[in-house]
Amino acid sequence: MMEATRDYMYGKIHRCTVTDAELHYVGSITVDPVLLKAAGILPHTRVDVVNIANGARLSTYVIEGPPDSGVICLNGAAAHHFSKGDLAIIMAYEQVPVSQIPGRTSRAVHVDGQNRILSVDSHVTPRLEDLGLPENNRYAQVFI
């Protein structure tokens, strides 16, 4: 019998600024590879993208843009849900066996208004037995 798996958010780009929305492209989201590396996200892999301005959430795949460009461009049908200047969160997931989730690290890349990296946080997933410990409490943690 195979062990159950869960979707695990291993990397995200938090509060990035959408630089463009290109309706007449075949699809996907174009992202500066500097940001992809920092978050551990590979091209052609699925991500969820959330628009902080209007609450839209969609799944698409990543393509690599020019390095150090700061590009975050929603392409194809996704362009209907995002506008230049919107703030977004890009989240990448992987299927992980349940027994391998505790101790696994998730990265959050924080950027400025031009999508330059300000910081990269790493969060280690606690064991079920450790839930409720003060050091694991991230309630009301503010990201600006």
Side-chain angles (χ1 to χ4, degrees):
M1 180 194 252
M2 292 185 60
E3 181 178 3
T5 62
R6 300 285 186 273
D7 290 333
Y8 181 81
M9 197 283 300
Y10 65 87
K12 72 176 180 173
I13 303 167
H14 193 76
R15 297 181 66 87
C16 56
T17 302
V18 174
T19 59
D20 206 358
E22 181 58 53
L23 183 61
H24 301 291
Y25 187 80
V26 294
S28 70
I29 182 171
T30 306
V31 179
D32 183 327
V34 172
L35 300 176
L36 294 176
K37 284 180 190 177
I41 301 171
L42 292 168
H44 311 286
T45 60
R46 186 178 64 117
V47 293
D48 285 349
V49 187
V50 178
N51 187 324
I52 295 171
N54 64 22
R57 182 182 192 109
L58 57 91
S59 290
T60 189
Y61 63 95
V62 175
I63 60 173
E64 183 179 348
D68 296 312
S69 64
V71 67
I72 302 289
C73 180
L74 279 297
N75 301 307
H80 286 292
H81 302 285
F82 291 82
S83 298
K84 185 175 181 176
D86 286 349
L87 291 178
I89 304 170
I90 302 168
M91 297 166 285
Y93 302 88
E94 61 189 353
Q95 283 285 311
V96 177
V98 173
S99 66
Q100 294 179 25
I101 293 175
R104 200 169 196 89
T105 301
S106 176
R107 288 190 270 181
V109 178
H110 303 277
V111 297
D112 66 12
Q114 286 75 49
N115 296 327
R116 293 181 301 238
I117 297 172
L118 296 173
S119 65
V120 179
D121 295 335
S122 294
H123 302 284
V124 177
T125 305
R127 300 174 311 149
L128 283 174
E129 299 80 29
D130 295 332
L131 293 180
L133 295 177
E135 61 268 24
N136 296 326
N137 185 341
R138 295 174 57 199
Y139 177 72
Q141 187 176 24
V142 177
F143 295 106
I144 51 175

